[in-house]
Amino acid sequence: MTQPQAELLDLYRAGLKSAADLMKASLESAERLQNQQLVAIRSAIDESSKSAAELGSVRTIDELLAVQTRLAGAQFERAISYWGELFSAGIRQGQGRAEQKKSG
């Protein structure tokens, strides 16, 4: 094999390796995000069951309003936490891609 052919083959291999590394990082990030979403869904299901049980046990309007107020606050906190985690995951993914481009 001539020198230019060998260099072209090395360049091709390096490009394939970089593409494979980027794809791996992207898929790992997608997997982490999907796992976070599954955890959030499971948590929401559990909380929904607890909330339904609490709401089913109220006996007065005052109790109902107190339970609804508390549940609404808790749901808002969970939503903010969930979106914060998604935002952080997106930032980490972007930083990982930037670092890969620098090293690649």
Side-chain angles (χ1 to χ4, degrees):
M1 187 179 318
T2 66
Q3 180 64 22
Q5 288 177 333
E7 289 177 7
L8 184 61
L9 188 58
D10 289 342
L11 185 61
Y12 180 73
R13 284 185 193 134
L16 283 179
K17 183 181 181 326
S18 294
D21 290 345
L22 186 59
M23 181 60 76
K24 180 181 177 186
S26 178
L27 290 173
E28 287 171 348
S29 179
E31 180 184 27
R32 281 191 303 275
L33 180 60
Q34 200 168 40
N35 286 335
Q36 287 177 338
Q37 289 172 335
L38 286 173
V39 167
I41 289 169
R42 286 186 189 115
S43 176
I45 290 170
D46 291 343
E47 292 299 321
S48 178
S49 296
K50 290 176 186 176
S51 298
E54 282 186 64
L55 288 170
S57 69
V58 298
R59 299 289 178 240
T60 67
I61 294 293
D62 289 336
E63 286 179 10
L64 176 63
L65 291 175
V67 169
Q68 283 185 327
T69 301
R70 189 174 43 75
L71 293 177
Q75 287 174 341
F76 181 73
E77 287 177 16
R78 281 192 300 277
I80 294 299
S81 174
Y82 174 72
W83 287 108
E85 289 174 14
L86 285 180
F87 182 73
S88 295
I91 289 174
R92 285 191 304 272
Q93 183 178 7
Q95 288 173 340
R97 286 183 181 168
E99 289 173 7
Q100 270 193 327
K101 285 182 181 180
K102 286 181 184 178
S103 65

